[in-house]
């Protein structure tokens, strides 16, 4: 047993407390929480002192494309659209191999950790070598991601993604060949093999688990969708990110993407719909009635001019809101949290459509639910209740500490610090009770900028 002592903390089921002592068992799970506890010099051996600031559960990044980080600051010069951005993304994706993908993912996961993230759902679709031929070790790309997460100290849910068509009714394009598995049986066979490899190579302590994803209704034919009702674990899908996607689906199938997924039997409480930006009232009802999770990615949706999704309406309909950083145009969980509320204010002309407690739940336990982590792992009976945020006994000690005395946070009420701070104000990050980041630097990998220097050296950006 060991203890950490925090000046202030956010405790389940969503309340603020002062002078909180957290007792950890040998596995880094919270064994006890004591409020009003007297600090001691030995209370936080890794920090060497009582930890000032505000402790929250580690942020959960429910939607990530790791290699998209390589595009940061490289796609803004001539405006463009989502579709022109995608062409640049394909150019980078074509250069990935297991070795350079490991280095790139290690850097991005390390940056996530220093920003306060302790878990990530990696929506992964670059499965094969360029041209679509499997690597000699057919799961080399997935194993590279798993190793990068282990080395970075972040929990990884590898969302193994099915990508079969370039658009509805069209074959994969040349730049998409390495994403595909031929048909749904090819995907299911490869996915089952990946599950076996990960089970053989990893222990629960490694913090890597497997889920699946439907890339989109553009990339997976309607006839293949029902198969995902039988694939275990969390299921994610890009949903109605662009009006063009809805228009193509209506033209091909006579229904919206949400309606198509519902007809296939996959709109349930294990589904996470990513973006969910352009929905009809019926779409919102279907997702809410199913208690699906919605993964909003505010900084990416703003960067790509996707639009503002109906987050409040979805929450009121019964869906659970979570947050992701998607293409990592910035990596700051507090900016994603504020971006959710800012979108609501801009779109609807009203402040406070999400309370601070609801925003923090979206950043933490909403993501846990999306990725089937912690208390929100899918129960055997299918129950997966809506989350309430906060540190709790029985949960891994995944904790981020936000400074309360920085130029950005000074004077803020404790429960509103997340509305003023940025990732720069994250002073300490613990994963299963182990200190993995301190004052912006990774405790084992060192400065993140040096990791990026090594990663970027492997890529030709054509400029």
């Amino acid at each position: 047993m060991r203890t950490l002592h925090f000046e202030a903390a956010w405790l389940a089921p969503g309340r603020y407390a002062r002078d909180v002592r957290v007792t950890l068992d040998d596995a880094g799970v919270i064994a006890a929480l004591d409020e009003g506890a007297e600090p001691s010099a030995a209370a936080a051996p890794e920090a060497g002192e009582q930890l000032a600031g505000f402790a929250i559960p580690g942020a959960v990044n429910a939607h990530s494309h790791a290699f998209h980080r390589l595009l940061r600051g490289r796609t803004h010069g001539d405006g463009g659209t989502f579709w022109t951005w995608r062409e640049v993304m394909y150019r980078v994706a074509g250069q990935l191999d297991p070795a350079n993908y490991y280095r790139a993912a290690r850097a991005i996961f390390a940056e996530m950790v220093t920003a306060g993230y302790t878990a990530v759902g990696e929506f992964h679709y670059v499965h094969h070598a360029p041209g679509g031929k499997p690597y000699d070790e057919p799961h080399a790309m997935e194993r590279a991601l798993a190793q990068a997460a282990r080395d970075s100290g972040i929990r990884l849910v590898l969302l193994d993604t099915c990508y079969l068509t370039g658009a509805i009714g069209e074959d994969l394009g040349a730049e998409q060949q390495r994403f595909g598995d031929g048909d749904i049986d090819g995907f299911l066979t490869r996915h089952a093999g990946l599950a076996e490899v990960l089970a053989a190579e990893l222990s629960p302590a490694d913090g890597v688990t497997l889920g699946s994803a439907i890339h989109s209704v553009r990339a997976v034919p309607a006839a293949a969708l029902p198969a995902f009702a039988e694939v275990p674990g969390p299921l994610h899908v890009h949903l109605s990110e662009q009006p063009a996607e809805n228009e193509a689906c209506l033209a091909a199938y006579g229904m919206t993407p949400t309606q198509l997924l519902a007809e296939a039997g996959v709109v349930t409480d294990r589904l996470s719909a990513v973006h969910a930006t352009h929905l009809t009232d019926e779409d919102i009802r279907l997702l809410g009635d199913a208690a699906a999770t919605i993964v909003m990615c505010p900084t990416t949706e703003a960067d790509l001019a996707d639009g503002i999704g109906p987050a409040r309406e979805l929450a009121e309909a019964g869906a659970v809101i979570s947050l992701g950083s998607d293409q990592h145009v910035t990596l700051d969980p507090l900016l994603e949290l504020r971006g959710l509320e800012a979108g609501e204010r801009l779109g609807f002309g009203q402040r406070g459509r999400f309370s601070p407690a609801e925003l923090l739940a979206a950043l933490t336990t909403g993501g846990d639910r999306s990725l089937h982590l912690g208390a929100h792992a899918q129960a055997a009976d299918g129950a997966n209740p809506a989350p309430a945020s906060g540190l709790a006994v029985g949960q891994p000690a995944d904790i981020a500490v936000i400074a309360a005395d920085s130029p950005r946070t000074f004077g803020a009420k404790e429960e509103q610090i997340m509305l003023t701070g940025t990732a720069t104000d994250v002073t300490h990050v613990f994963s299963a009770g182990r200190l993995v980041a301190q004052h912006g630097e990774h405790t084992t990998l060192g400065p993140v900028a040096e990791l990026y220097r090594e990663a970027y050296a492997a890529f030709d950006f054509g400029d």
Side-chain angles (χ1 to χ4, degrees):
M1 293 284 188
R2 48 186 286 266
T3 60
L4 300 170
H5 190 283
F6 300 105
E7 180 183 23
W10 190 252
L11 307 182
R15 62 186 183 86
Y16 162 75
R18 291 197 64 83
D19 292 320
V20 176
R21 183 171 58 236
V22 180
T23 303
L24 313 179
D25 67 15
D26 292 341
V29 172
I30 298 174
L33 289 166
D34 298 294
E35 301 175 44
E38 289 293 329
S40 68
E46 289 168 308
E49 57 187 10
Q50 177 190 8
L51 290 170
F54 185 37
I56 64 171
V60 179
N61 190 341
H63 186 67
S64 162
H65 300 293
F67 77 91
H68 290 191
R69 166 60 179 85
L70 298 171
L71 306 180
R72 185 189 292 175
R74 308 188 69 86
T75 63
H76 303 272
D78 57 355
T81 67
F82 167 86
W83 306 101
T84 57
W85 170 89
R86 193 174 69 157
E87 295 306 313
V88 180
M89 179 271 289
Y90 285 151
R91 186 164 64 242
V92 174
Q95 300 179 56
L96 293 172
D97 60 42
N100 66 29
Y101 203 7
Y102 162 76
R103 291 191 293 271
R106 181 182 61 174
I108 183 65
F109 292 155
E111 187 185 0
M112 286 184 196
V113 167
T114 62
Y117 287 109
T118 55
V120 59
E122 180 61 29
F123 200 107
H124 166 67
Y125 53 85
V126 188
H127 303 301
H128 307 298
K133 181 181 178 181
Y135 286 100
D136 292 340
E137 199 301 286
H139 308 294
M141 296 294 271
E142 292 77 18
R143 294 173 72 193
L145 286 169
Q147 187 61 52
R150 293 168 66 192
D151 290 349
S152 303
I154 196 167
R155 298 184 193 279
L156 171 69
V157 180
L158 184 60
L159 298 166
D160 186 36
T161 302
C162 183
Y163 199 132
L164 302 176
T165 57
I168 296 174
E170 298 181 11
D171 293 337
L172 292 174
E175 68 279 359
Q176 299 166 321
Q177 292 295 319
R178 65 186 311 190
F179 307 161
D181 293 300
D183 55 25
I184 187 61
D185 290 333
F187 168 78
L188 293 172
T189 297
R190 186 186 55 74
H191 182 78
L194 175 59
E196 292 177 359
V197 166
L198 294 181
E201 294 185 354
L202 302 173
S203 72
D206 290 313
V208 178
T209 54
L210 183 63
S212 63
I214 300 162
H215 180 274
S216 60
V217 299
R218 292 180 288 106
V220 179
L225 295 174
F228 289 91
E230 306 301 322
V231 179
L235 174 64
H236 285 222
V237 61
H238 289 130
L239 183 67
S240 293
E241 182 178 4
Q242 293 287 322
E245 175 186 326
N246 290 353
E247 293 162 5
C249 190
L250 284 165
Y253 302 117
M255 61 186 76
T256 67
T258 301
Q259 292 167 338
L260 186 67
L261 294 170
E263 188 173 82
V266 298
V267 178
T268 70
D269 70 347
R270 63 181 280 260
L271 180 72
S272 287
V274 181
H275 302 303
T277 306
H278 302 283
L279 302 180
T280 67
D281 290 345
E282 175 64 10
D283 295 339
I284 293 171
R285 185 193 66 78
L286 287 169
L287 293 164
D289 285 352
T293 303
I294 310 299
V295 187
M296 297 290 186
C297 304
T299 62
T300 288
E301 289 148 8
D303 179 71
L304 297 179
D306 286 344
I308 299 170
R312 184 73 260 172
E313 287 81 356
L314 284 159
E316 290 177 353
V320 173
I321 306 300
S322 64
L323 291 165
S325 67
D326 195 353
Q327 62 153 330
H328 322 302
V329 64
T330 186
L331 248 181
D332 190 325
L334 300 180
L335 291 186
E336 299 294 350
L337 175 152
R338 291 208 293 281
L340 174 61
E341 171 64 6
E344 291 289 307
R345 295 181 184 191
L346 291 169
F348 300 95
Q350 180 183 345
R351 301 179 78 201
R353 283 168 63 87
F354 283 93
S355 69
E358 288 177 310
L359 293 171
L360 194 53
L363 186 65
T364 57
T365 45
D368 282 344
R369 186 184 194 269
S370 173
L371 300 177
H372 295 189
L373 296 171
H376 302 289
Q378 190 78 359
D381 62 1
N384 203 355
S389 66
L391 303 179
V393 172
Q395 295 303 300
D398 295 347
I399 301 170
V401 183
I402 306 169
D405 58 356
S406 81
R408 290 156 296 279
T409 62
F410 195 95
K413 291 184 177 181
E414 287 82 357
E415 67 273 17
Q416 295 184 38
I417 282 177
M418 73 282 293
L419 299 176
T420 65
T422 69
T424 303
D425 301 310
V426 174
T427 62
H428 298 79
V429 182
F430 297 87
S431 177
R434 179 171 64 92
L435 186 66
V436 288
Q438 187 170 2
H439 297 293
E441 186 163 312
H442 199 279
T443 55
T444 58
L445 298 177
V448 175
E450 292 303 314
L451 300 177
Y452 277 126
R453 193 182 311 280
E454 179 183 352
Y456 270 69
F459 293 90
D460 178 7
F461 293 95
D463 53 19

